[in-house]
Amino acid sequence: MRIGRYFTRQDAPGVRATLGLLVLGCVLPLSLVAAFLIVEFYQRGRQQLIDSTVTQAQAAIAGVDREFDSLQAALQALGTSRQLMTGDLAGFHTRARDALGNLHADSIVLVDPSGKLLLSTRRAYGEPLPRLPGTPLLKRIVATGRGGVSDLFPGPLAGQLIYTVGVPIRRDGAIVMTLNATATPAHLTSLLAEQKLPATWRTAILDSRGKIVARSHEAAKYVGKSATPALLHSLSVRGEGSLEGRALDGLPVYTVYSRSPRTGWTVAFGIPTAELTAGLRHSLGWLIAGTLAALALGLLLAWRVGGGIAHSVRALIPPALAAGSGDMPELPPLAIREARELAQAMRDAAASVRTAQAQSRESEHRLTLAAQAARLGIWVRDQLRHEIWVSDTWRALFGFPPGQTLTMADVLGRIHPEDRPAAEAALVQPRGRYELEFRIHHPDGAERWISSQGQAECDSAGQVTLVRGVSLDITARKQAELDMLQKQKELTHLSRVAMLGELSGTLAHELNQPLTAILSNAQAAQRFLRQPRPDLDELRDILHDIIEADERASAIIRRLRSLIGNQESVLQPVVADELLSDVLHILRADLIHHGVTLHTDLAGGTLRLQADRVQLQQVLINLIINACDAMAATPAAQRQIAIRSRRYGKQWQLDVQDSGPGIPPTQLGRIFEPFFTTKSQGMGLGLAICRSIVQAHQGRLWAENSDGGGACLHLSLPELP
Ligand code: ADP
């Protein structure tokens, strides 16, 4: 039993692989949905964070604005001090220094509209002060008449980066100077700290040009530097928003910013991207871990469960194979209910196979008995494997020893060389069903006739796969057939001789005529010779007449002898109408003797038949003699025979019609039966023999009654192609 090959088939997935796919099919879509939801939640959370950070940025920039507003308010209050109103700048210097303690500023300065520093709390009153290099805030205050805040710039006294908040000081409605409070960025740094943002966030305050005024990280390094180009660009487009990029220190951040419409200053918060996506990565990490764990667990289960199923199924292979041959070995314990059901079904199938095998054996036994009794040799030829199986009877029939492996050449070698081509054509390339008779040379020296019948089986492509059949020794039957043929031949001959016996009277009469002529010519010659001077010319003529008469007699005898002789049947080309003319010649005297008038209408021309000349003559003579016999009681003047030959397609047809009483309708079907006769001296074999001769020539012979009375016998024979 070749079980191994059932385990090695790779063209279909196993149970484990299928269950593994099932696990993948369940877990992966779930994981994908979870991943989608996580990303979705992340996007929403991110957006919420950004939105809240924008709000925080707005609050922070509002805080900066408030800082500036409170500075401006304090400056405006200081600007209304009596010392300043009265032009007591020294007193005002003292007053300003006092006020500085309550302000978020480092110094207070007075600047005239030309940019000249009039007073600075950094310096003692009266010390010389420099002129301010660039004074955009001053110009703006003079131009608008309203206070404002400058951008970051290097202070003219300490050289530090500072910004200043200034308000106009008017005298009689005109701006005569500006009062400014200057501060270092440190003042704003605390504002950033108040936002209580995560320590990792990059936060900054920018002036209206985008220069960093305060920064949460490495302020000393970046204060005074421009913000990133991306942020500057975004600021030029929108006063509030967010963008992704890198902070100045290179940290990837998501920047949220808000700019004050009043001062143009901006607060920007940079949320490290890693922090933003940390939650997502964390969740996705857990999801992947969970998915992998679920997959591992699922696959492990699939492996174990699949292994159990595969084990149960494989355990059924040996029993299944055994069940095919009717056996049912012990089954191992099976863990799966369906496998147990299958095992039960196989048990039932094995029982059915055993029953069928027993029936088949019984039927085979009977068949063998029947084949032996009938001496039938059975053979099966597998065309695909080129194997031949034969029964013992067949071996005995063909004379092959038991155990010899047979080939087609062995079988053909036994067949008689004359029969071999036909047998080879039928046996080597069989088509459907065939029947064949041939002779074989048995090794015991005997020649045997075999009848072989076979049936070919084809596959869906029409290719012959198997031929099976039986062979039977028909030597005895063939011998009987040959004997019968011989008997038939003898009978045919006898009937011909008998038929000629009927003609003998008229033949004698016909022979008499040339013999009489010979006698009278010989007597005349004797008379001439008795004359003294015989006329030699006359004698020559007489001898010539004698020879002619003798040849006529010889021809009559030759024709008779050819009919009487019992030669083998020889088929040869014969011109039909010539053969008919010969017969009429033989019968001419007999017809005259019977007082029959003959009408001939021959139209077959040179049409030829493949025929045995003598046998066909016998048929024609028989038909004409029967016609004469039928008219025995007919008045002599009305005895007529009409013979007509015609070509019908590829057939030569001869009609022999007489003017006798015809054939009674009840006898029309019987006149061809052997021994049917209505004549007192008749044997009833003539027409039976004629029909068998005609059938042997592939022709037809039948009788009808003519409309005008009398019988008409029809003969039809195939033309020689
Ligand atoms: P037989 O001549 O010895 O009787 P046949 O077989 O030749 O045997 O003829 C069988 C019978 O067929 C005849 O006895 C006769 O009754 C009938 N028969 C044959 N030819 C004719 C014919 N031309 N007209 C009428 N009857 C015929």
Side-chain angles (χ1 to χ4, degrees):
M1 210 185 319
R2 290 162 60 208
I3 302 166
R5 70 192 170 103
Y6 295 95
F7 293 132
T8 54
R9 292 194 55 164
Q10 299 291 323
D11 51 358
V15 180
R16 279 176 167 156
T18 308
L19 288 179
L21 281 175
L22 186 68
V23 168
L24 286 177
C26 291
V27 172
L28 288 185
L30 275 178
S31 300
L32 283 175
V33 170
F36 173 77
L37 289 176
I38 286 171
V39 170
E40 183 71 15
F41 284 135
Y42 159 74
Q43 299 276 20
R44 279 195 206 166
R46 184 172 181 257
Q47 196 52 49
Q48 276 175 3
L49 179 66
I50 289 167
D51 291 347
S52 73
T53 309
V54 168
T55 311
Q56 274 185 298
Q58 285 169 344
I61 196 66
V64 173
D65 280 355
R66 271 197 308 280
E67 177 73 19
F68 294 155
D69 287 347
S70 68
L71 268 178
Q72 279 188 40
L75 288 172
Q76 264 160 357
L78 196 62
T80 57
S81 67
R82 188 176 47 80
Q83 291 86 344
L84 194 61
M85 291 298 211
T86 57
D88 176 12
L89 291 182
F92 182 73
H93 186 268
T94 311
R95 175 76 201 276
R97 278 199 167 170
D98 292 343
L100 202 56
N102 299 324
L103 295 178
H104 292 144
D106 297 317
S107 68
I108 294 172
V109 292
L110 267 176
V111 187
D112 76 1
S114 68
K116 185 174 180 300
L117 267 179
L118 300 175
L119 177 150
S120 169
T121 56
R122 276 190 189 278
R123 299 282 168 90
Y125 183 72
E127 259 186 51
L129 295 167
R131 177 176 285 276
L132 295 176
T135 54
L137 174 64
L138 178 67
K139 286 179 190 152
R140 207 161 66 231
I141 293 171
V142 170
T144 61
R146 286 206 306 271
V149 61
S150 73
D151 289 323
L152 202 63
F153 65 96
L157 298 180
Q160 278 180 291
L161 284 172
I162 55 168
Y163 63 90
T164 176
V165 174
V167 294
I169 303 293
R170 288 188 171 83
R171 287 276 185 280
D172 303 325
I175 296 170
V176 290
M177 62 187 94
T178 62
L179 182 59
N180 300 276
T182 64
T184 56
H187 285 282
L188 289 177
T189 308
S190 59
L191 245 173
L192 288 178
E194 283 169 17
Q195 299 304 313
K196 302 215 179 340
L197 295 171
T200 50
W201 287 25
R202 302 302 190 249
T203 57
I205 298 173
L206 314 177
D207 66 14
S208 69
R209 292 167 306 167
K211 296 271 191 231
I212 293 169
V213 179
R215 194 170 189 272
S216 57
H217 293 74
E218 298 177 279
K221 186 175 173 187
Y222 294 108
V223 166
K225 300 255 172 68
S226 277
T228 60
L231 179 56
L232 290 178
H233 174 73
S234 193
L235 275 169
S236 70
V237 178
R238 291 181 63 210
E240 196 173 277
S242 58
L243 67 149
E244 199 161 358
R246 285 180 182 272
L248 279 176
D249 53 14
L251 184 73
V253 287
Y254 197 85
T255 304
V256 175
Y257 66 89
S258 179
R259 188 171 62 192
S260 164
R262 276 171 42 215
T263 62
W265 282 45
T266 303
V267 167
F269 296 155
I271 312 164
T273 315
E275 262 174 51
L276 206 58
T277 55
L280 174 71
R281 278 190 279 116
H282 187 71
S283 302
L284 287 179
W286 272 109
L287 176 69
I288 291 168
T291 304
L292 289 176
L295 273 179
L297 192 67
L299 289 175
L300 183 71
L301 274 174
W303 180 261
R304 299 206 58 161
V305 173
I309 297 173
H311 175 74
S312 292
V313 172
R314 282 182 177 154
L316 290 175
I317 294 175
L321 292 172
S325 24
D327 299 335
M328 193 67 209
E330 273 307 300
L331 285 169
L334 297 168
I336 295 175
R337 180 159 52 87
E338 283 80 1
R340 278 190 219 133
E341 287 170 3
L342 190 58
Q344 185 52 46
M346 278 191 296
R347 254 187 222 108
D348 296 348
S352 302
V353 170
R354 274 198 299 278
T355 312
Q357 277 176 339
Q359 285 171 350
S360 165
R361 268 196 300 275
E362 176 58 24
S363 133
E364 201 176 307
H365 186 60
R366 279 190 221 144
L367 191 71
T368 309
L369 278 178
Q372 278 171 356
R375 299 189 186 204
L376 276 178
I378 302 172
W379 52 267
V380 180
R381 207 164 75 240
D382 189 326
Q383 293 286 90
L384 300 179
R385 293 194 209 146
H386 301 289
E387 286 173 5
I388 298 177
W389 174 89
V390 295
S391 68
D392 293 344
T393 312
W394 191 94
R395 280 184 189 278
L397 207 60
F398 279 70
F400 286 110
Q404 181 187 336
T405 309
L406 292 176
T407 64
M408 201 61 204
D410 295 333
V411 179
L412 289 172
R414 283 276 192 274
I415 297 174
H416 193 290
E418 284 176 17
D419 301 342
R420 202 173 293 153
E424 194 170 353
L427 294 176
V428 177
Q429 304 236 295
R431 291 267 166 274
R433 197 181 155 76
Y434 69 87
E435 225 176 303
L436 195 65
E437 286 183 2
F438 51 83
R439 288 164 288 173
I440 60 163
H441 283 304
H442 198 274
D444 64 10
E447 184 179 283
R448 293 188 184 172
W449 272 97
I450 301 291
S451 165
S452 185
Q453 293 189 23
Q455 172 89 46
E457 278 180 20
C458 301
D459 59 13
S460 54
Q463 187 73 28
V464 175
T465 52
L466 194 88
V467 194
R468 59 165 72 88
V470 290
S471 297
L472 179 65
D473 187 341
I474 54 164
T475 312
R477 196 192 82 197
K478 273 281 171 190
Q479 194 52 53
E481 273 176 19
L482 287 176
D483 291 351
M484 202 179 78
L485 272 177
Q486 184 58 30
K487 292 271 173 342
Q488 207 168 18
K489 210 179 96 197
E490 284 170 19
L491 195 62
T492 307
H493 178 241
L494 279 176
S495 112
R496 200 157 61 228
V497 172
M499 182 182 76
L500 288 172
E502 286 182 42
L503 289 176
S504 59
T506 52
L507 284 171
H509 172 75
E510 198 171 357
L511 271 176
N512 213 24
Q513 194 262 332
L515 288 175
T516 311
I518 289 168
L519 181 64
S520 56
N521 274 320
Q523 286 169 344
Q526 275 180 337
R527 273 199 305 276
F528 273 115
L529 284 171
R530 274 199 293 269
Q531 287 177 10
R533 295 183 62 189
D535 183 345
L536 289 179
D537 286 342
E538 200 65 36
L539 270 174
R540 208 171 289 121
D541 285 349
I542 288 171
L543 284 174
H544 181 259
D545 287 349
I546 288 173
I547 290 168
E548 259 195 350
D550 184 72
E551 279 173 351
R552 264 206 317 282
S554 298
I556 290 165
I557 290 165
R558 229 182 3 260
R559 276 199 290 271
L560 282 177
R561 279 178 64 185
S562 75
L563 277 172
I564 291 167
N566 191 9
Q567 298 108 324
E568 281 297 309
S569 167
V570 181
L571 292 178
Q572 59 190 25
V574 170
V575 177
D577 280 359
E578 272 179 24
L579 183 98
L580 181 59
S581 299
D582 281 357
V583 167
L584 292 177
H585 209 84
I586 292 170
L587 293 175
R588 196 185 50 182
D590 197 55
L591 292 172
I592 294 166
H593 174 74
H594 281 90
V596 173
T597 314
L598 181 69
H599 303 278
T600 53
D601 176 9
L602 308 186
T606 56
L607 184 143
R608 294 185 312 156
L609 310 169
Q610 183 74 355
D612 183 310
R613 170 177 281 274
V614 172
Q615 286 183 358
L616 221 51
Q617 280 179 346
Q618 179 177 351
V619 172
L620 300 182
I621 291 170
N622 219 319
L623 297 181
I624 296 169
I625 288 178
N626 271 353
C628 288
D629 290 350
M631 294 186 294
T634 308
Q638 294 169 18
R639 290 178 198 159
Q640 300 196 354
I641 294 179
I643 294 181
R644 189 172 58 239
S645 73
R646 285 279 180 280
R647 176 198 288 253
Y648 286 112
K650 296 265 176 222
Q651 299 279 321
W652 178 70
Q653 186 173 319
L654 175 76
D655 304 329
V656 180
Q657 189 181 348
D658 61 52
S659 55
I663 305 160
T666 49
Q667 293 174 6
L668 263 177
R670 299 193 58 205
I671 57 171
F672 296 99
E673 289 173 10
F675 306 112
F676 177 83
T677 180
T678 53
K679 301 172 194 169
S680 55
Q681 300 296 315
M683 283 170 62
L685 285 174
L687 286 179
I689 290 171
C690 286
R691 185 170 258 187
S692 73
I693 291 173
V694 171
Q695 283 173 346
H697 284 74
Q698 273 76 49
R700 229 153 55 82
L701 179 65
W702 72 103
E704 283 174 347
N705 282 318
S706 306
D707 292 341
C712 186
L713 273 288
H714 304 281
L715 165 67
S716 168
L717 287 167
E719 181 187 351
L720 181 68

